[in-house]
Amino acid sequence: MRRTIDWDGDAVTIIDQTALPTDYRVLRLTSVDELIDAIRRLAVRGAPALGAAGALGVVLAAREGGDVPVAARRVATARPTAVNLSWGVARALAKLDQGGAAVLAEALEILDEDERLNRAASAHAAQILLEVCPRRPLRLLSHCNAGHLATVAWGSALGVVWHLHERGLVESVLVDETRPLLQGGRLTAWELAQAGVPYRVQPDGAAAAAMARGLVDCVLVGADRIAANGDVANKIGTYGLAVVAHHHRVPLIVVAPSSTVDTALASGAEIAIEERAPEELRMFGGAAITPPDADVFNPAFDVTPAELISAVVTEHGRYRPPDHPSSL
């Protein structure tokens, strides 16, 4: 599979995630405005992929001329929750005084290292999972999309599935559809099908029933921001999933590159949570599903407290808060 986001020499190219699974198309973005629009409407999404988008946004800004730092700030604030977006912008912007070639080189390095880091993080997580889950083959549960499409390549939480599937250790994956935008049903299911991994899509509300019936050995999720204390912001519904998993003694493992850890935030209470447009809940498939004046609460993310998480895993292994005696 091609990279989710890449540079073709003149433009940013992305797999348009709003079109999947029915239409596979690649978009070329040649301006900062086009990139910001793609980020906001989720044509490109996922924290690691947004880190790459942030860096490439600075490349586009430098090529356009004008006030590059101002344009870069627009990219960095296109979505507020995933720290990787502003991290990618900052890394590329730090090279601006060395010229456009240096900015591009830094952005390309971010693209190249993304797959390496996510392969390493997911390999560490796979080993931890095998240590805490004795059953073989494994029955896993995923929420939202933390696969190839959420990164430049390979994937974070879904990368664990790739490692285990290669070894014949996956029986099946239960895929939360992930309302309201169905990133699980549309994107994760598509990736699993492409890889030949057995899966079943379920409504988000079925996860508790699946765990109560003993159908889940481990929950795997990604992250959009991880606070210093190990609290995790991820797609809305993750917190509830973690509560249920904790009740049923099902491990929940978070997998993300270390760029997702924001040590400037002491806890998840400080993470800004993006709220999406009401139409995402009022409409489905172009048809109204609520009264037209229905009020809406539509947070894109929630925060899961560290005590409900079995392990947060990065390319360095298990993440431990800075004041933990065995911090990595």
Side-chain angles (χ1 to χ4, degrees):
M1 186 184 295
R2 67 176 294 142
R3 283 178 165 181
T4 300
I5 180 167
D6 209 348
W7 177 255
D8 72 1
D10 292 299
V12 178
T13 60
I14 63 168
I15 298 172
D16 185 356
Q17 298 185 44
T18 65
L20 290 169
T22 56
D23 186 13
Y24 182 93
R25 63 188 183 214
V26 176
L27 304 180
R28 293 184 80 253
L29 311 174
T30 60
S31 71
V32 170
D33 286 343
E34 288 177 345
L35 179 64
I36 289 173
D37 176 68
I39 292 169
R40 287 177 175 166
R41 64 185 183 84
L42 308 187
V44 60
R45 46 148 294 281
L50 289 177
L56 290 171
V58 180
V59 173
L60 291 175
R63 289 165 68 92
E64 289 178 0
D67 194 327
V68 176
V70 168
R73 281 194 295 274
R74 291 178 56 223
V75 174
T77 57
R79 295 190 69 193
T81 301
V83 69
N84 305 63
L85 181 58
S86 57
W87 167 86
V89 168
R91 268 190 61 172
L93 198 58
K95 302 293 184 179
L96 185 61
D97 60 352
Q98 299 175 34
V103 172
L104 177 59
E106 186 70 7
L108 295 179
E109 173 57 25
I110 289 174
L111 292 170
D112 290 341
E113 73 181 28
D114 178 82
E115 181 174 0
R116 297 196 304 271
L117 298 186
N118 281 294
R119 279 183 179 270
S122 55
H124 286 306
Q127 185 57 42
I128 291 170
L129 191 158
L130 292 174
E131 291 168 1
V132 299
C133 297
R135 187 186 187 278
R136 305 288 186 272
L138 292 154
R139 301 159 305 173
L140 307 171
L141 188 151
S142 73
H143 188 72
C144 195
N145 173 261
H148 178 281
L149 292 168
T151 64
V152 175
W154 186 255
S156 54
L158 211 56
V160 179
V161 177
W162 311 147
H163 283 295
L164 297 173
H165 177 62
E166 287 173 351
R167 299 165 63 181
L169 297 177
V170 177
E171 178 178 314
S172 64
V173 180
L174 274 175
V175 179
D176 279 357
E177 62 175 351
T178 322
R179 284 280 294 147
L181 298 181
L182 307 178
Q183 293 97 329
R186 293 189 303 106
L187 307 178
T188 296
W190 182 82
E191 289 197 50
L192 291 167
Q194 293 289 309
V197 178
Y199 71 91
R200 289 188 290 173
V201 177
Q202 66 179 4
D204 297 354
M211 282 186 248
R213 291 175 59 180
L215 301 178
V216 181
D217 299 311
C218 185
V219 178
L220 291 168
V221 297
D224 287 85
R225 192 179 297 236
I226 301 165
N229 72 338
D231 292 349
V232 170
N234 193 49
K235 181 57 57 182
I236 188 70
T238 304
Y239 179 23
L241 193 61
V243 171
V244 174
H246 183 74
H247 175 76
H248 289 288
R249 296 182 174 85
V250 174
L252 183 145
I253 296 176
V254 177
V255 189
S258 59
S259 55
T260 307
V261 178
D262 188 352
T263 56
L265 301 184
S267 74
E270 300 177 36
I271 298 175
I273 299 298
E274 175 186 2
E275 293 209 18
R276 303 283 298 174
E279 287 71 27
E280 291 180 353
L281 284 177
R282 292 176 181 155
M283 307 290 292
F284 187 82
I289 59 171
T290 71
D293 59 349
D295 203 0
V296 166
F297 175 55
N298 188 21
F301 307 96
D302 55 27
V303 175
T304 300
E307 58 264 28
L308 296 178
I309 299 168
S310 303
V312 173
V313 187
T314 74
E315 71 273 15
H316 303 301
R318 187 187 293 261
Y319 171 77
R320 302 184 190 280
D323 59 354
H324 192 284
S326 59
S327 296
L328 292 172

Short mmCIF file of all heavy atoms in Angstrom, two decimals, residues 3-67:
data_model
loop_
_atom_site.label_atom_id
_atom_site.label_comp_id
_atom_site.label_asym_id
_atom_site.label_seq_id
_atom_site.Cartn_x
_atom_site.Cartn_y
_atom_site.Cartn_z
N ARG A 3 2.02 5.17 0.74
CA ARG A 3 1.97 5.95 1.97
C ARG A 3 0.65 6.73 2.06
O ARG A 3 0.15 7.23 1.06
CB ARG A 3 3.13 6.93 2.01
CG ARG A 3 4.47 6.30 2.37
CD ARG A 3 5.58 7.33 2.35
NE ARG A 3 6.78 6.84 3.02
CZ ARG A 3 7.90 7.55 3.16
NH1 ARG A 3 7.98 8.77 2.64
NH2 ARG A 3 8.94 7.04 3.78
N THR A 4 0.15 6.84 3.28
CA THR A 4 -1.07 7.61 3.51
C THR A 4 -0.88 9.07 3.13
O THR A 4 -1.79 9.71 2.58
CB THR A 4 -1.49 7.50 4.98
OG1 THR A 4 -1.72 6.12 5.28
CG2 THR A 4 -2.73 8.30 5.28
N ILE A 5 0.29 9.61 3.46
CA ILE A 5 0.63 10.99 3.12
C ILE A 5 2.08 11.00 2.65
O ILE A 5 2.93 10.29 3.21
CB ILE A 5 0.42 11.94 4.32
CG1 ILE A 5 0.79 13.39 3.96
CG2 ILE A 5 1.16 11.46 5.56
CD1 ILE A 5 0.31 14.41 4.99
N ASP A 6 2.35 11.77 1.59
CA ASP A 6 3.69 11.74 1.00
C ASP A 6 3.93 13.06 0.26
O ASP A 6 3.04 13.92 0.16
CB ASP A 6 3.82 10.55 0.05
CG ASP A 6 5.25 10.02 -0.05
OD1 ASP A 6 6.18 10.71 0.43
OD2 ASP A 6 5.42 8.93 -0.60
N TRP A 7 5.12 13.19 -0.26
CA TRP A 7 5.53 14.35 -1.06
C TRP A 7 5.97 13.84 -2.42
O TRP A 7 6.81 12.93 -2.51
CB TRP A 7 6.67 15.09 -0.36
CG TRP A 7 7.21 16.27 -1.12
CD1 TRP A 7 8.38 16.34 -1.81
CD2 TRP A 7 6.60 17.54 -1.26
NE1 TRP A 7 8.54 17.58 -2.37
CE2 TRP A 7 7.45 18.36 -2.05
CE3 TRP A 7 5.40 18.09 -0.80
CZ2 TRP A 7 7.16 19.67 -2.39
CZ3 TRP A 7 5.10 19.42 -1.13
CH2 TRP A 7 5.97 20.18 -1.92
N ASP A 8 5.39 14.38 -3.50
CA ASP A 8 5.71 13.86 -4.83
C ASP A 8 6.71 14.73 -5.59
O ASP A 8 6.93 14.54 -6.79
CB ASP A 8 4.44 13.66 -5.66
CG ASP A 8 3.78 14.97 -6.10
OD1 ASP A 8 4.32 16.06 -5.78
OD2 ASP A 8 2.75 14.90 -6.78
N GLY A 9 7.31 15.69 -4.90
CA GLY A 9 8.27 16.60 -5.53
C GLY A 9 7.72 17.99 -5.75
O GLY A 9 8.47 18.96 -5.80
N ASP A 10 6.40 18.08 -5.84
CA ASP A 10 5.75 19.38 -6.05
C ASP A 10 4.52 19.59 -5.18
O ASP A 10 4.02 20.72 -5.09
CB ASP A 10 5.32 19.53 -7.52
CG ASP A 10 6.51 19.62 -8.47
OD1 ASP A 10 7.30 20.57 -8.31
OD2 ASP A 10 6.66 18.74 -9.33
N ALA A 11 4.00 18.53 -4.57
CA ALA A 11 2.75 18.64 -3.83
C ALA A 11 2.68 17.56 -2.75
O ALA A 11 3.40 16.56 -2.79
CB ALA A 11 1.56 18.51 -4.78
N VAL A 12 1.81 17.80 -1.80
CA VAL A 12 1.49 16.79 -0.80
C VAL A 12 0.45 15.85 -1.41
O VAL A 12 -0.53 16.30 -2.00
CB VAL A 12 0.91 17.44 0.48
CG1 VAL A 12 0.52 16.37 1.50
CG2 VAL A 12 1.90 18.42 1.09
N THR A 13 0.67 14.56 -1.29
CA THR A 13 -0.32 13.59 -1.76
C THR A 13 -0.89 12.85 -0.56
O THR A 13 -0.14 12.48 0.37
CB THR A 13 0.28 12.58 -2.75
OG1 THR A 13 1.33 11.85 -2.11
CG2 THR A 13 0.83 13.30 -3.98
N ILE A 14 -2.19 12.62 -0.55
CA ILE A 14 -2.84 11.90 0.56
C ILE A 14 -3.85 10.91 -0.01
O ILE A 14 -4.44 11.14 -1.07
CB ILE A 14 -3.56 12.85 1.54
CG1 ILE A 14 -4.70 13.61 0.84
CG2 ILE A 14 -2.59 13.81 2.20
CD1 ILE A 14 -5.63 14.34 1.80
N ILE A 15 -4.01 9.81 0.69
CA ILE A 15 -5.15 8.93 0.43
C ILE A 15 -6.36 9.60 1.07
O ILE A 15 -6.37 9.89 2.26
CB ILE A 15 -4.93 7.54 1.03
CG1 ILE A 15 -3.71 6.87 0.40
CG2 ILE A 15 -6.17 6.67 0.85
CD1 ILE A 15 -3.32 5.56 1.07
N ASP A 16 -7.39 9.87 0.29
CA ASP A 16 -8.57 10.59 0.78
C ASP A 16 -9.42 9.65 1.63
O ASP A 16 -10.12 8.78 1.13
CB ASP A 16 -9.39 11.11 -0.41
CG ASP A 16 -10.57 11.96 0.04
OD1 ASP A 16 -10.80 12.07 1.26
OD2 ASP A 16 -11.27 12.50 -0.84
N GLN A 17 -9.37 9.84 2.94
CA GLN A 17 -10.05 8.93 3.85
C GLN A 17 -11.55 9.19 3.96
O GLN A 17 -12.27 8.39 4.56
CB GLN A 17 -9.37 8.96 5.22
CG GLN A 17 -7.93 8.48 5.11
CD GLN A 17 -7.23 8.38 6.43
OE1 GLN A 17 -7.76 7.88 7.41
NE2 GLN A 17 -5.99 8.84 6.47
N THR A 18 -12.01 10.27 3.37
CA THR A 18 -13.45 10.49 3.35
C THR A 18 -14.12 9.64 2.28
O THR A 18 -15.34 9.46 2.29
CB THR A 18 -13.79 11.97 3.09
OG1 THR A 18 -13.34 12.34 1.77
CG2 THR A 18 -13.11 12.87 4.11
N ALA A 19 -13.35 9.12 1.33
CA ALA A 19 -13.91 8.36 0.21
C ALA A 19 -13.97 6.86 0.49
O ALA A 19 -14.80 6.15 -0.09
CB ALA A 19 -13.10 8.61 -1.05
N LEU A 20 -13.09 6.36 1.34
CA LEU A 20 -13.06 4.92 1.64
C LEU A 20 -14.29 4.50 2.44
O LEU A 20 -14.86 5.30 3.17
CB LEU A 20 -11.79 4.60 2.44
CG LEU A 20 -10.48 4.69 1.67
CD1 LEU A 20 -9.29 4.63 2.62
CD2 LEU A 20 -10.39 3.58 0.63
N PRO A 21 -14.73 3.25 2.29
CA PRO A 21 -14.08 2.15 1.58
C PRO A 21 -14.54 1.98 0.13
O PRO A 21 -14.02 1.12 -0.57
CB PRO A 21 -14.51 0.93 2.40
CG PRO A 21 -15.90 1.28 2.83
CD PRO A 21 -15.87 2.76 3.10
N THR A 22 -15.51 2.76 -0.31
CA THR A 22 -16.07 2.53 -1.64
C THR A 22 -15.21 3.09 -2.76
O THR A 22 -15.26 2.60 -3.89
CB THR A 22 -17.48 3.15 -1.74
OG1 THR A 22 -17.40 4.54 -1.42
CG2 THR A 22 -18.43 2.47 -0.77
N ASP A 23 -14.41 4.11 -2.46
CA ASP A 23 -13.63 4.77 -3.50
C ASP A 23 -12.22 5.03 -2.97
O ASP A 23 -12.05 5.72 -1.96
CB ASP A 23 -14.31 6.08 -3.90
CG ASP A 23 -13.65 6.76 -5.08
OD1 ASP A 23 -12.81 6.11 -5.75
OD2 ASP A 23 -13.95 7.94 -5.33
N TYR A 24 -11.23 4.47 -3.64
CA TYR A 24 -9.83 4.71 -3.28
C TYR A 24 -9.29 5.79 -4.21
O TYR A 24 -9.17 5.58 -5.42
CB TYR A 24 -9.02 3.42 -3.44
CG TYR A 24 -7.56 3.55 -3.05
CD1 TYR A 24 -7.14 3.25 -1.76
CD2 TYR A 24 -6.61 3.97 -3.98
CE1 TYR A 24 -5.80 3.36 -1.40
CE2 TYR A 24 -5.27 4.08 -3.63
CZ TYR A 24 -4.87 3.78 -2.35
OH TYR A 24 -3.55 3.90 -1.99
N ARG A 25 -8.99 6.96 -3.64
CA ARG A 25 -8.48 8.04 -4.47
C ARG A 25 -7.37 8.79 -3.74
O ARG A 25 -7.35 8.87 -2.52
CB ARG A 25 -9.59 8.99 -4.90
CG ARG A 25 -10.28 9.73 -3.78
CD ARG A 25 -11.49 10.50 -4.29
NE ARG A 25 -12.14 11.27 -3.26
CZ ARG A 25 -13.46 11.49 -3.20
NH1 ARG A 25 -14.25 10.99 -4.13
NH2 ARG A 25 -13.98 12.21 -2.24
N VAL A 26 -6.47 9.32 -4.53
CA VAL A 26 -5.33 10.07 -4.01
C VAL A 26 -5.49 11.53 -4.41
O VAL A 26 -5.76 11.83 -5.58
CB VAL A 26 -4.01 9.50 -4.54
CG1 VAL A 26 -2.82 10.35 -4.08
CG2 VAL A 26 -3.84 8.05 -4.09
N LEU A 27 -5.35 12.43 -3.44
CA LEU A 27 -5.46 13.87 -3.69
C LEU A 27 -4.08 14.51 -3.70
O LEU A 27 -3.20 14.12 -2.94
CB LEU A 27 -6.31 14.53 -2.60
CG LEU A 27 -7.72 13.98 -2.38
CD1 LEU A 27 -8.41 14.76 -1.26
CD2 LEU A 27 -8.54 14.05 -3.66
N ARG A 28 -3.90 15.50 -4.59
CA ARG A 28 -2.68 16.32 -4.60
C ARG A 28 -3.04 17.69 -4.02
O ARG A 28 -3.96 18.36 -4.50
CB ARG A 28 -2.13 16.50 -6.01
CG ARG A 28 -1.61 15.22 -6.63
CD ARG A 28 -0.98 15.49 -8.00
NE ARG A 28 0.39 16.01 -7.90
CZ ARG A 28 0.75 17.25 -8.15
NH1 ARG A 28 -0.14 18.16 -8.52
NH2 ARG A 28 2.02 17.63 -8.06
N LEU A 29 -2.30 18.08 -3.00
CA LEU A 29 -2.54 19.35 -2.32
C LEU A 29 -1.34 20.25 -2.58
O LEU A 29 -0.22 19.92 -2.21
CB LEU A 29 -2.71 19.11 -0.81
CG LEU A 29 -3.69 17.98 -0.42
CD1 LEU A 29 -3.67 17.75 1.07
CD2 LEU A 29 -5.10 18.31 -0.90
N THR A 30 -1.59 21.38 -3.20
CA THR A 30 -0.49 22.26 -3.61
C THR A 30 -0.43 23.56 -2.83
O THR A 30 0.44 24.38 -3.08
CB THR A 30 -0.61 22.58 -5.10
OG1 THR A 30 -1.87 23.24 -5.36
CG2 THR A 30 -0.53 21.31 -5.95
N SER A 31 -1.35 23.75 -1.89
CA SER A 31 -1.36 25.01 -1.13
C SER A 31 -1.64 24.73 0.34
O SER A 31 -2.20 23.68 0.70
CB SER A 31 -2.42 25.97 -1.67
OG SER A 31 -3.73 25.50 -1.36
N VAL A 32 -1.28 25.68 1.18
CA VAL A 32 -1.56 25.57 2.61
C VAL A 32 -3.06 25.49 2.84
O VAL A 32 -3.53 24.70 3.67
CB VAL A 32 -0.95 26.77 3.36
CG1 VAL A 32 -1.44 26.81 4.81
CG2 VAL A 32 0.58 26.72 3.32
N ASP A 33 -3.82 26.28 2.12
CA ASP A 33 -5.28 26.27 2.30
C ASP A 33 -5.86 24.90 1.98
O ASP A 33 -6.77 24.42 2.69
CB ASP A 33 -5.94 27.33 1.42
CG ASP A 33 -5.74 28.75 1.94
OD1 ASP A 33 -5.37 28.88 3.13
OD2 ASP A 33 -5.94 29.70 1.18
N GLU A 34 -5.38 24.26 0.92
CA GLU A 34 -5.88 22.93 0.57
C GLU A 34 -5.53 21.92 1.65
O GLU A 34 -6.35 21.04 1.97
CB GLU A 34 -5.30 22.49 -0.77
CG GLU A 34 -5.87 23.23 -1.97
CD GLU A 34 -5.22 22.81 -3.27
OE1 GLU A 34 -4.14 22.17 -3.24
OE2 GLU A 34 -5.79 23.13 -4.34
N LEU A 35 -4.34 22.02 2.20
CA LEU A 35 -3.93 21.09 3.25
C LEU A 35 -4.78 21.29 4.50
O LEU A 35 -5.24 20.31 5.11
CB LEU A 35 -2.45 21.28 3.57
CG LEU A 35 -1.91 20.37 4.69
CD1 LEU A 35 -1.98 18.90 4.27
CD2 LEU A 35 -0.48 20.76 5.06
N ILE A 36 -4.99 22.52 4.91
CA ILE A 36 -5.80 22.80 6.09
C ILE A 36 -7.21 22.27 5.90
O ILE A 36 -7.80 21.66 6.81
CB ILE A 36 -5.81 24.31 6.40
CG1 ILE A 36 -4.43 24.75 6.92
CG2 ILE A 36 -6.89 24.65 7.42
CD1 ILE A 36 -4.28 26.24 7.08
N ASP A 37 -7.77 22.46 4.72
CA ASP A 37 -9.10 21.94 4.45
C ASP A 37 -9.12 20.42 4.56
O ASP A 37 -10.05 19.84 5.14
CB ASP A 37 -9.55 22.37 3.06
CG ASP A 37 -10.90 21.78 2.67
OD1 ASP A 37 -11.91 22.17 3.28
OD2 ASP A 37 -10.93 20.92 1.76
N ALA A 38 -8.10 19.75 4.03
CA ALA A 38 -8.03 18.29 4.10
C ALA A 38 -7.93 17.81 5.55
O ALA A 38 -8.53 16.79 5.92
CB ALA A 38 -6.84 17.78 3.29
N ILE A 39 -7.19 18.55 6.37
CA ILE A 39 -7.06 18.19 7.78
C ILE A 39 -8.39 18.35 8.50
O ILE A 39 -8.84 17.46 9.23
CB ILE A 39 -5.97 19.04 8.46
CG1 ILE A 39 -4.59 18.68 7.92
CG2 ILE A 39 -6.01 18.87 9.98
CD1 ILE A 39 -3.49 19.65 8.33
N ARG A 40 -9.06 19.47 8.27
CA ARG A 40 -10.30 19.75 9.00
C ARG A 40 -11.44 18.82 8.61
O ARG A 40 -12.27 18.46 9.45
CB ARG A 40 -10.69 21.21 8.77
CG ARG A 40 -9.80 22.19 9.53
CD ARG A 40 -10.16 23.63 9.24
NE ARG A 40 -9.37 24.53 10.08
CZ ARG A 40 -9.26 25.84 9.86
NH1 ARG A 40 -9.88 26.40 8.82
NH2 ARG A 40 -8.54 26.59 10.67
N ARG A 41 -11.50 18.42 7.35
CA ARG A 41 -12.60 17.54 6.94
C ARG A 41 -12.21 16.06 7.01
O ARG A 41 -12.95 15.19 6.57
CB ARG A 41 -13.09 17.90 5.55
CG ARG A 41 -12.11 17.71 4.41
CD ARG A 41 -12.67 18.22 3.09
NE ARG A 41 -11.76 17.97 2.00
CZ ARG A 41 -11.68 16.82 1.33
NH1 ARG A 41 -12.49 15.82 1.65
NH2 ARG A 41 -10.83 16.66 0.34
N LEU A 42 -11.03 15.78 7.61
CA LEU A 42 -10.57 14.43 7.91
C LEU A 42 -10.23 13.61 6.67
O LEU A 42 -10.26 12.37 6.70
CB LEU A 42 -11.60 13.67 8.76
CG LEU A 42 -12.10 14.36 10.03
CD1 LEU A 42 -12.98 13.42 10.83
CD2 LEU A 42 -10.96 14.87 10.87
N ALA A 43 -9.89 14.29 5.57
CA ALA A 43 -9.36 13.57 4.43
C ALA A 43 -8.01 12.96 4.79
O ALA A 43 -7.63 11.91 4.28
CB ALA A 43 -9.22 14.50 3.22
N VAL A 44 -7.26 13.64 5.66
CA VAL A 44 -6.08 13.07 6.30
C VAL A 44 -6.30 13.20 7.80
O VAL A 44 -6.72 14.25 8.29
CB VAL A 44 -4.78 13.76 5.84
CG1 VAL A 44 -4.79 15.25 6.16
CG2 VAL A 44 -3.57 13.09 6.46
N ARG A 45 -6.04 12.12 8.54
CA ARG A 45 -6.35 12.11 9.97
C ARG A 45 -5.45 11.06 10.63
O ARG A 45 -4.70 10.34 9.97
CB ARG A 45 -7.82 11.75 10.22
CG ARG A 45 -8.28 10.56 9.40
CD ARG A 45 -9.34 9.73 10.05
NE ARG A 45 -8.86 9.06 11.24
CZ ARG A 45 -8.12 7.94 11.22
NH1 ARG A 45 -7.73 7.38 10.07
NH2 ARG A 45 -7.74 7.39 12.36
N GLY A 46 -5.53 11.00 11.96
CA GLY A 46 -4.64 10.12 12.72
C GLY A 46 -3.44 10.91 13.18
O GLY A 46 -2.81 11.62 12.38
N ALA A 47 -3.11 10.80 14.46
CA ALA A 47 -2.07 11.66 15.03
C ALA A 47 -0.73 11.57 14.29
O ALA A 47 -0.15 12.60 13.93
CB ALA A 47 -1.90 11.34 16.52
N PRO A 48 -0.18 10.38 14.02
CA PRO A 48 1.11 10.36 13.33
C PRO A 48 1.04 10.96 11.92
O PRO A 48 1.96 11.67 11.49
CB PRO A 48 1.46 8.87 13.28
CG PRO A 48 0.73 8.29 14.45
CD PRO A 48 -0.57 9.05 14.49
N ALA A 49 -0.05 10.66 11.19
CA ALA A 49 -0.20 11.23 9.85
C ALA A 49 -0.31 12.75 9.92
O ALA A 49 0.19 13.47 9.05
CB ALA A 49 -1.41 10.64 9.14
N LEU A 50 -0.95 13.25 10.97
CA LEU A 50 -1.06 14.70 11.12
C LEU A 50 0.29 15.33 11.45
O LEU A 50 0.54 16.49 11.08
CB LEU A 50 -2.09 15.04 12.20
CG LEU A 50 -3.55 14.77 11.83
CD1 LEU A 50 -4.47 15.08 13.01
CD2 LEU A 50 -3.97 15.60 10.62
N GLY A 51 1.16 14.60 12.12
CA GLY A 51 2.51 15.11 12.33
C GLY A 51 3.21 15.34 11.01
O GLY A 51 3.86 16.38 10.79
N ALA A 52 3.09 14.37 10.11
CA ALA A 52 3.67 14.53 8.77
C ALA A 52 3.01 15.67 8.02
O ALA A 52 3.67 16.44 7.32
CB ALA A 52 3.53 13.22 8.00
N ALA A 53 1.68 15.78 8.16
CA ALA A 53 0.96 16.86 7.49
C ALA A 53 1.43 18.22 7.98
O ALA A 53 1.56 19.18 7.20
CB ALA A 53 -0.54 16.70 7.72
N GLY A 54 1.68 18.32 9.30
CA GLY A 54 2.17 19.58 9.83
C GLY A 54 3.50 19.99 9.22
O GLY A 54 3.69 21.14 8.81
N ALA A 55 4.43 19.05 9.12
CA ALA A 55 5.74 19.34 8.54
C ALA A 55 5.63 19.71 7.07
O ALA A 55 6.25 20.67 6.60
CB ALA A 55 6.66 18.14 8.73
N LEU A 56 4.80 18.97 6.34
CA LEU A 56 4.63 19.26 4.92
C LEU A 56 3.88 20.57 4.71
O LEU A 56 4.06 21.24 3.68
CB LEU A 56 3.91 18.10 4.22
CG LEU A 56 4.74 16.82 4.09
CD1 LEU A 56 3.88 15.67 3.59
CD2 LEU A 56 5.94 17.04 3.16
N GLY A 57 3.07 20.95 5.66
CA GLY A 57 2.41 22.26 5.59
C GLY A 57 3.42 23.39 5.61
O GLY A 57 3.25 24.40 4.91
N VAL A 58 4.48 23.24 6.39
CA VAL A 58 5.53 24.25 6.42
C VAL A 58 6.26 24.28 5.07
O VAL A 58 6.66 25.33 4.58
CB VAL A 58 6.51 23.99 7.58
CG1 VAL A 58 7.61 25.05 7.60
CG2 VAL A 58 5.77 23.99 8.92
N VAL A 59 6.46 23.10 4.47
CA VAL A 59 7.07 23.04 3.14
C VAL A 59 6.23 23.85 2.14
O VAL A 59 6.77 24.66 1.37
CB VAL A 59 7.21 21.59 2.67
CG1 VAL A 59 7.68 21.53 1.22
CG2 VAL A 59 8.17 20.82 3.57
N LEU A 60 4.92 23.62 2.16
CA LEU A 60 4.04 24.35 1.25
C LEU A 60 4.09 25.85 1.53
O LEU A 60 4.12 26.68 0.61
CB LEU A 60 2.60 23.85 1.38
CG LEU A 60 2.32 22.45 0.86
CD1 LEU A 60 0.88 22.05 1.16
CD2 LEU A 60 2.59 22.35 -0.64
N ALA A 61 4.10 26.22 2.82
CA ALA A 61 4.15 27.63 3.18
C ALA A 61 5.43 28.28 2.69
O ALA A 61 5.43 29.42 2.18
CB ALA A 61 4.02 27.78 4.70
N ALA A 62 6.56 27.58 2.82
CA ALA A 62 7.84 28.12 2.36
C ALA A 62 7.85 28.30 0.85
O ALA A 62 8.42 29.27 0.33
CB ALA A 62 8.98 27.21 2.81
N ARG A 63 7.21 27.38 0.13
CA ARG A 63 7.16 27.48 -1.32
C ARG A 63 6.23 28.61 -1.78
O ARG A 63 6.45 29.21 -2.83
CB ARG A 63 6.71 26.15 -1.92
CG ARG A 63 7.77 25.05 -1.80
CD ARG A 63 7.18 23.68 -2.07
NE ARG A 63 6.76 23.49 -3.46
CZ ARG A 63 7.53 22.99 -4.41
NH1 ARG A 63 8.78 22.62 -4.13
NH2 ARG A 63 7.06 22.83 -5.64
N GLU A 64 5.20 28.88 -0.99
CA GLU A 64 4.27 29.95 -1.34
C GLU A 64 4.85 31.32 -1.08
O GLU A 64 4.43 32.31 -1.69
CB GLU A 64 2.96 29.80 -0.55
CG GLU A 64 2.09 28.63 -0.99
CD GLU A 64 0.82 28.49 -0.16
OE1 GLU A 64 0.63 29.32 0.77
OE2 GLU A 64 0.03 27.59 -0.44
N GLY A 65 5.80 31.41 -0.16
CA GLY A 65 6.34 32.70 0.23
C GLY A 65 5.43 33.37 1.25
O GLY A 65 4.55 32.74 1.82
N GLY A 66 5.61 34.64 1.47
CA GLY A 66 4.82 35.32 2.48
C GLY A 66 5.33 35.04 3.87
O GLY A 66 6.49 34.65 4.07
N ASP A 67 4.46 35.23 4.86
CA ASP A 67 4.85 35.05 6.25
C ASP A 67 4.72 33.57 6.61
O ASP A 67 3.64 33.09 6.95
CB ASP A 67 3.95 35.90 7.15
CG ASP A 67 4.50 36.03 8.56
OD1 ASP A 67 5.12 35.06 9.03
OD2 ASP A 67 4.29 37.09 9.19
#
